C-alpha cells in the first residue's frame, strides 16, 4: 500500500515547519545583546578549566556497542513474531535457538562485567 | 463525481469503521492532511493543557496553589510562558557548533511529532495505517537520541555533554527492554481470535498472522475480546509494566530524569539552550510523553476501545435518538457527562471567585471556560458527533491516566542514580523482557 | 577610620606596660591584671573567687611535665577551663603526647590570636577534646612574625583547613602542612585581615581592580 | 603507632587535588574531566564550589573552594562591643540563628562568670530546640530535593513556617532572630506561648511521620542513600566531624549530654545513634533527633519556671582579661566560640568554630570513588550552610 506512505512525507514536512517557523519568528521578535560573558559555556560561573570535547569514559561506548548488538537482534524478532503462527513449531524452535545464543552472549557480558557501571 | 471525492464524502457520511478510504491516493492525502492539522493542533493543545495540569496537580500534591495569576486559576499561564519564551533572548555559546546546535532541537521536535503518524486515535482517526507502524515508531524514537547527543555535543560545555551521554546511554538501554515488550505484544496479535479477521482485511490467507500495524493491533484486541494487558495473565501485565517503565526512561522523566537531573547536572543536555530553542525541547518532551503513552495504550490497553467493549447489553430503541445495546448506550453518554462534570467544576470555581472588581475579568473568563466545556458536552450528545468522536474520547482518557501517572511519579519519587538506572535496565528489564517473550511464544503455540 | 585600623587593645597595652613581658612568657601577663581589671571596670557582674587563672594541678600535667619538662611553660585553669602554654619547638611533641597518651582524640579547633606588642605576636591555640575523658583542653604556643608553627595535620587531619584558615587570616605558616594556601580569601590576596594592623575596611585594592574590574568592593 | 599511621593516611587523602589529569591505564584510556560544581549550581546549597575530577561519572577527587560568602565576621567582632556583635552571629548559620545566639551569649556569660536565670534558660532551650527542628526540616527538604524528591521540600517548609511564626511572635524576627541577650533573654514570653508550643508539638509529630512515609521505605530513596558517603566513627573523630554525621557513624556524643549547658541536664531525651555511617543513617538520625527535640520542648514547656528572664548585667559588659571556649550542640554539630577578652568593652578576638566548615572538610573522604550524583547527596547530608562555612 504505497499510498499509505504519502502522509509520512506530508507529516514530516509540517513537523519540520513548526520548529523552523517558530525559530524564525522568535529571531524576528527577540532582543539580541551578545556579551562575551553571556556567550561563555556554562560552568557554574567559573571559566571552564579544560575543553568539553575530550575523550569521555569508555563505559558509554560499551553501552553503545551492546545496544547495537541487542537492538539488531530485536529487529530479527519482529518478522518472526508476525509470522509466528504460520511458522509454528519450527519457527518457535528456531527462534529459541537464536534467543539462546543471545542469552549466552548476555550472560557472558554480564560475567565479563560490561554491565557494571563503576 | 471523481472517485477520490466520492471516498471523501463516504468517509464523512458513513461511520462503518472501514479503512477503505486508504484505497485512493488522493483521498488518502487529503485526509492525511486534515489529520495532520488536527493532530498538530490537538497535540499543541494537549501540551499546553499538560503543562498547566502538571503545574497544578504537582502544586496541589505539594500543598501549594501553582499558577493563579494569569487567567482564572492560571489557565492562561502556559500561553503567557510561551509568549515570554518567544521574546526572550536566545544565547548561543560562541564555542558551540552553530549548525548542530541549531539542528538539535529541530531534530528532537520532528522525531517527537513524527511518532504520531502511526497512532490510531480511533479506527478511522489516524494519519495513515502503515503495515510496519510499530517498527516505524521504534525507528523514529531512536532518532530522538541523536538530537539529544547533538545538543550535548554542540554546546561544547561539560554539563550538557554529561547530560547527553547519560541520556543516550539511558535511552538506548531501555529501548532494548522496550523492544522485547513490544515484540511480545506483536506475538499476541497472531493468536486465537485474530486469524480470520486479518485474513479478511489483508488477505494473507492460510494461517493467521500477526501484524505490526497499529490499527491492526487494536483490531486484534477487539477480535480477541481482551486488552493485551490481560492476555495470558500475568504475562501481558509484565510486558506492559516493562514498557511503562521503559517509556518513562525514554522520555527522561522522573524518576529517570537523569539527563536533565537538575540537582546534579543543572539542566543536563539543554543547559546551554535558552529562549525559544529551549522551549522546543520542552515541547518535544511533552509531545513525546503523550506519544509513548499513546503507544502503550494502543498496544496493551485496547487503544480506542471503551471498557467492556465486548458487552453490548439488551437492545433498546429510543426514537429520534439512538438505538443499540443498553451498555453501548450508557458508555456513549460518558464523554458528554465528563465534559458536563468539568463544566460543573469550572462553574463552582466561578461561583467561588472573590466578589471584587479586581477579579471581574477572571470570573468572566472562568465562566466562559465553563460555558465552553458545557457546550462541548452538549455537542457530544449529538448522535453523529458522538459516534465519530467517542473513540477519540476513550483513547484520550487512557492517555490522560498515563499523563497523571507521569505527574504522580514526579511528585513522589526521588531520582535514580545513573548506575542504578543502568542496573535496572540491563539486569532486570532485559532478562524479564526476554523471559516474557519466550513464555508468550510458548503459550501462544497452544492457543 | 584610621584610628580604628590601628587599634591595639588599650587594656592589653597597660597591662603589658607595667609587666614588660619576657619573650617566652607571652601569655602570662594577663594573669596578674585580672583581679584589678574586672574590679575597676564595673562592679555589676558578681566576682566569684574563680575569676583569676590558677595553676592547674592534675596528674595529666605532671605526666606531661615529666616528659617535656620546661617545654610546658604554664598549666593554668581559668573559669574551669584548662590550658597549657608550651614552647613552640616542643608543641608538636606535646600535642602528640596529649593525643596518644592522654587520649585527646578530637581537635576541636586551631586558631590564632594576634598580640602585636609582644615579642612573639602570634599565639596559636589548639582546642582539644577527649572523648574518653569528656574533657576539654587548650594548648597555646607563640610564634614570631615569619616563623612557622608546627602543623598537626599528621595528628588530626581536621587541622588541614583550620590551619589554612589561620594562615589565611594571620599569615602564620604551619610547618609540615600538605597544602599551605589561602582558603577563604582569594589566592592572590595581599594582607592578612585578622591581624590587628589590618583595618576593618581595608582591602587589596589592586586585586579588586584586576579581578573584579571595580574600584572598591564596598 | 598504628594510630599515627592511620591518621597520616587519612591526612594524605585530604591533600590538595592536582588539577593536571593523571595518565590512566591504557586499556581504558579516557581523559579525566575537570568539572566545576558551583558556585552557581542548584545543589551546592549556596556558593560552595567543588572542583570534581571525574572519570566518566566516577569521582576521582574533589577540592572545595570556599570563601565566596566571607564577610569577616571575626574581624567585625573585634570592632563591636559584646552586645553589638550578638546580631552578627545570627548571620552565620542563618537557618539556625537561635543556636548561634545561644552559643554566643553563653560563651560571653561564661567569660563574665554569670548564668542566665532558670526561666531564661528554659526559654532558650525551647527556642533552640524549635530551631533545631526548623534547621532539620530545611535540611530534609533540600536534601530530598537534591536526591530528586521535590515534594518533601514543601511539606517541611509548611511545617517550618509554624516554628518561624512562634519566633516571630516571640521576638519579631523569623530568621535572624537575635532572641537572646547576654545574661538571659530580652523578652518575656508572650501570652499563650506555652500553648502554642504544646500545639506545635502535637501538630508536628504526625508530620514527621508523614515525611517518613514519603522517604524512609521509599525504594529509590533507600537505594540512593544506603552506603553512600560512608564515613567511620574514627574518621569522624579524626576529621573533627560532629553533630548528626558523627552520631550516624555510631559515636554517641552530643554536647547537650556530654557537657550540658543551659540546663539541658534537666531534660530527659535520648541521643539517636546510627550504625552504618552512611547517608541513610544520617537521615534517620536527624529524623529521630527531630522527635527528641519535640520531647525536650514538651518537658521545657511543662517545667517552665517563674522568675526573671534576665540576669543583672550592665548595658555594656566588660569582661575581665581572659579567654574562654564554649561549645554547644548546634543542629549541624559542635558550634564553639573562643573569646579572648582584654578587659575592654570590645572582644579582643572572637573565634567561631563552625561545624559546617569542619564537617565540609570530610566531603572529599566521603565521595572519593562515588558517582557525581552521590556528591550532591553527600553535600546535602553533611548539612552545610555556606554562611557559616565562610563566615
Amino acid at each position: 500500500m504505497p499510498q499509505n506512505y504519502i502522509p509520512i512525507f506530508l507529516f514530516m514536512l509540517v513537523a519540520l515547519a513548526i520548529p523552523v517557523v517558530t525559530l524564525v519568528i522568535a529571531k524576528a521578535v527577540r532582543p539580541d545583546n551578545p556579551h562575551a560573558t553571556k556567550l561563555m559555556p556554562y560552568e557554574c560561573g567559573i571559566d571552564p578549566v579544560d575543553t568539553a570535547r575530550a575523550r569521555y569514559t569508555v563505559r558509554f561506548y560499551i553501552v553503545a556497542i551492546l545496544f547495537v548488538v541487542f537492538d539488531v537482534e530485536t529487529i530479527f524478532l519482529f518478522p518472526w513474531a508476525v509470522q509466528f503462527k504460520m511458522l509454528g513449531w519450527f519457527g518457535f524452535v528456531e527462534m529459541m535457538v537464536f534467543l539462546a545464543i543471545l542469552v549466552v552472549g548476555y550472560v557472558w557480558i554480564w560475567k565479563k562485567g560490561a554491565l557494571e557501571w563503576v | 463525481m471523481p472517485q477520490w471525492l466520492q471516498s471523501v464524502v463516504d468517509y464523512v457520511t458513513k461511520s462503518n469503521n472501514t479503512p477503505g478510504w486508504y484505497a485512493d491516493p488522493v483521498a488518502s492525502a487529503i485526509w492525511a492532511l486534515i489529520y495532520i492539522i488536527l493532530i498538530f493542533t490537538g497535540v499543541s493543545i494537549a501540551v499546553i493543557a499538560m503543562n498547566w495540569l502538571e503545574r497544578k496537580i504537582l502544586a496541589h500534591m505539594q500543598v501549594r496553589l501553582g499558577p493563579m495569576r494569569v487567567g482564572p486559576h492560571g489557565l492562561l499561564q502556559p500561553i503567557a510562558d510561551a509568549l515570554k519564551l518567544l521574546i526572550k533572548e536566545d544565547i548561543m555559546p560562541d564555542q558551540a557548533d552553530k549548525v548542530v546546535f541549531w539542528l538539535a532541537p529541530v531534530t528532537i521536535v520532528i522525531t517527537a511529532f513524527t511518532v504520531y503518524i502511526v497512532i490510531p486515535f480511533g479506527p478511522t482517526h489516524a494519519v495513515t495505517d502503515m503495515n510496519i507502524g510499530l517498527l516505524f515508531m521504534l525507528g523514529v524514537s531512536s532518532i530522538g537520541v541523536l538530537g539529544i547527543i547533538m545538543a550535548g555535543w554542540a554546546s561544547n560545555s561539560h554539563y550538557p555533554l554529561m547530560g547527553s551521554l547519560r541520556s543516550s546511554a539511558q535511552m538506548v538501554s531501555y529501548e532494548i527492554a522496550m523492544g522485547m515488550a513490544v515484540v511480545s505484544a506483536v506475538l499476541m496479535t497472531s493468536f486465537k481470535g485474530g486469524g480470520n479477521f486479518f485474513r479478511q482485511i489483508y488477505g494473507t490467507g492460510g494461517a493467521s498472522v500477526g501484524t505490526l500495524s497499529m490499527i491492526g493491533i487494536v483490531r486484534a484486541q477487539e477480535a480477541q475480546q481482551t486488552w493485551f494487558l490481560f492476555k495470558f495473565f500475568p504475562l501481558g501485565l509484565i510486558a506492559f509494566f516493562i514498557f511503562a517503565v521503559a517509556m518513562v526512561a525514554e522520555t527522561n522523566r522522573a524518576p529517570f530524569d537523569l539527563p536533565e537531573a537538575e540537582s546534579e547536572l543543572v539542566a543536563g543536555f539543554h543547559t546551554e539552550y535558552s529562549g525559544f530553542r529551549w522551549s522546543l525541547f520542552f515541547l518535544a518532551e511533552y509531545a513525546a510523553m503523550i506519544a509513548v503513552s499513546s503507544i502503550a495504550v494502543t498496544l496493551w490497553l485496547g487503544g480506542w476501545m471503551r471498557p467492556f467493549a465486548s458487552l453490548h447489553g439488551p437492545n433498546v430503541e429510543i426514537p429520534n435518538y439512538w438505538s443499540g445495546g443498553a451498555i453501548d448506550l450508557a458508555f456513549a453518554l460518558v464523554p458528554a457527562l465528563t465534559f458536563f462534570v468539568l463544566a460543573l467544576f469550572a462553574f463552582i470555581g466561578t461561583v467561588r471567585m472573590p466578589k471584587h472588581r479586581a477579579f471581574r475579568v477572571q470570573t468572566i473568563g472562568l465562566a466562559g471556560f465553563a460555558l465552553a466545556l458545557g457546550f462541548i458536552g452538549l455537542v457530544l450528545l449529538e448522535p453523529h458527533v458522538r459516534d465519530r468522536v467517542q473513540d477519540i474520547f476513550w483513547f484520550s482518557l487512557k492517555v490522560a491516566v498515563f499523563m497523571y501517572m507521569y505527574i504522580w511519579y514526579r511528585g513522589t519519587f526521588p531520582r535514580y542514580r545513573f548506575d542504578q538506572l543502568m542496573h535496572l535496565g540491563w539486569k532486570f528489564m532485559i532478562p524479564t523482557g526476554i523471559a516474557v517473550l519466550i513464555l508468550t511464544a510458548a503459550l501462544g503455540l497452544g492457543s | 577610620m584610621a584610628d580604628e585600623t590601628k587599634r591595639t587593645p588599650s587594656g592589653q597595652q597597660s597591662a603589658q606596660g607595667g609587666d614588660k613581658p619576657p619573650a617566652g612568657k607571652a601569655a602570662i601577663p594577663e594573669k596578674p591584671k585580672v583581679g584589678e581589671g574586672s574590679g575597676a571596670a564595673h562592679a555589676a557582674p558578681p566576682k566569684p573567687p574563680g575569676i583569676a587563672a590558677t595553676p592547674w594541678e592534675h596528674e595529666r600535667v605532671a605526666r606531661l611535665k615529666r616528659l617535656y619538662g620546661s617545654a610546658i611553660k604554664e598549666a593554668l585553669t581559668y573559669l574551669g577551663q584548662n590550658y597549657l602554654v608550651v614552647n613552640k619547638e616542643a608543641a608538636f611533641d606535646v600535642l602528640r603526647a596529649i593525643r596518644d597518651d592522654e587520649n585527646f582524640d578530637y581537635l576541636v579547633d586551631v586558631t590564632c590570636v594576634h598580640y602585636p606588642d609582644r615579642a612573639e605576636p602570634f599565639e596559636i591555640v589548639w582546642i582539644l577534646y577527649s572523648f574518653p575523658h569528656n574533657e576539654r583542653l587548650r594548648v597555646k604556643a607563640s610564634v614570631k612574625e615569619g616563623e612557622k608553627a608546627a602543623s598537626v595535620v599528621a595528628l588530626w587531619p581536621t587541622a588541614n583547613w583550620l590551619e589554612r584558615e589561620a594562615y589565611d587570616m594571620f599569615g602564620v605558616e604551619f610547618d609540615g602542612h600538605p597544602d599551605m594556601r589561602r582558603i577563604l580569601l582569594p589566592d592572590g590576596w595581599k594582607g592578612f585581615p585578622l591581624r590587628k594592623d589590618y583595618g576593618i575596611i581595608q582591602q587589596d585594592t589592586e586585586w579588586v581592580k584586576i579581578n573584579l574590574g571595580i574600584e572598591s568592593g564596598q | 603507632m598504628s594510630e599515627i599511621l592511620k591518621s597520616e593516611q587519612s591526612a594524605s587523602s585530604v591533600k590538595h587535588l592536582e588539577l593536571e589529569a593523571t595518565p590512566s591505564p591504557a586499556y581504558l584510556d579516557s581523559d579525566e574531566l575537570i568539572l566545576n560544581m558551583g558556585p552557581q549550581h542548584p545543589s551546592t546549597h549556596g556558593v560552595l564550589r567543588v572542583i570534581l575530577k571525574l572519570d566518566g561519572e566516577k569521582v576521582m577527587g574533589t577540592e572545595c573552594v570556599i570563601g565566596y560568602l566571607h564577610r569577616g565576621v571575626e574581624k567585625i567582632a573585634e570592632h563591636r562591643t559584646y552586645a553589638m556583635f550578638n546580631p552578627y552571629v545570627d548571620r552565620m548559620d542563618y537557618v539556625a540563628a537561635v543556636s548561634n545566639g545561644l552559643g554566643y551569649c553563653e560563651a560571653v556569660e561564661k567569660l563574665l562568670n554569670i548564668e542566665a536565670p532558670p526561666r531564661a534558660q528554659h526559654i532558650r532551650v525551647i527556642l533552640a530546640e524549635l530551631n533545631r527542628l526548623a534547621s532539620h526540616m530545611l535540611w530534609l527538604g533540600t536534601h530530598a530535593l537534591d536526591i530528586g524528591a521535590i515534594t518533601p521540600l514543601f511539606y517541611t517548609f509548611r511545617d517550618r513556617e509554624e516554628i518561624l511564626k512562634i519566633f516571630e511572635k516571640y521576638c519579631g524576627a523569623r530568621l535572624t532572630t537575635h532572641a537572646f541577650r547576654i545574661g538571659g533573654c530580652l523578652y518575656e514570653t508572650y501570652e499563650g506561648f506555652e500553648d502554642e508550643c504544646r500545639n506545635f508539638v502535637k501538630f508536628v509529630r504526625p508530620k514527621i511521620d508523614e515525611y517518613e512515609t514519603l522517604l524512609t521505605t521509599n525504594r529509590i530513596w533507600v537505594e540512593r542513600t544506603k552506603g553512600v558517603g560512608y564515613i567511620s566513627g574514627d574518621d569522624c573523630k579524626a576529621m573533627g566531624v560532629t553533630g548528626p554525621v558523627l552520631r550516624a557513624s555510631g559515636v554517641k556524643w552530643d554536647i547537650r549530654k556530654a557537657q550540658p549547658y543551659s540546663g539541658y541536664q534537666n531534660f530527659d531525651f535520648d541521643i539517636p545513634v546510627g550504625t552504618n555511617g552512611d547517608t541513610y543513617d544520617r537521615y534517620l538520625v536527624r529524623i529521630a533527633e527531630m522527635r527528641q527535640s519535640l520531647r525536650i520542648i514538651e518537658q521545657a514547656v511543662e517545667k517552665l519556671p517563674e522568675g526573671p528572664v534576665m540576669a543583672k548585667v550592665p548595658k555594656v559588659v566588660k569582661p575581665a582579661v581572659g579567654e574562654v571556649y564554649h561549645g554547644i550542640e548546634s543542629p549541624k554539630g559542635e558550634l564553639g566560640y573562643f573569646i579572648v577578652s582584654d578587659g575592654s568593652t570590645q572582644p579582643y578576638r572572637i573565634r567561631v568554630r563552625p561545624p559546617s566548615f569542619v564537617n565540609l572538610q570530610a566531603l572529599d573522604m566521603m565521595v572519593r570513588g562515588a558517582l557525581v550524583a552521590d556528591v550532591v547527596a553527600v553535600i546535602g547530608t553533611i548539612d552545610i550552610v555556606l554562611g557559616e562555612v565562610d563566615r
Side-chain angles (χ1 to χ4, degrees), chain B residues 263-274:
Chain B
S263 56
E264 300 147 30
L265 297 186
V266 186
F269 62 86
H270 53 63
T271 306
E272 297 290 356
Y273 282 82
S274 52

Side-chain angles (χ1 to χ4, degrees), chain B residues 246-262:
Chain B
M247 85 188 196
V248 180
E250 285 276 299
T251 45
N252 299 331
R253 290 280 303 186
F256 302 111
D257 55 346
L258 290 109
E260 51 203 68
E262 182 187 298

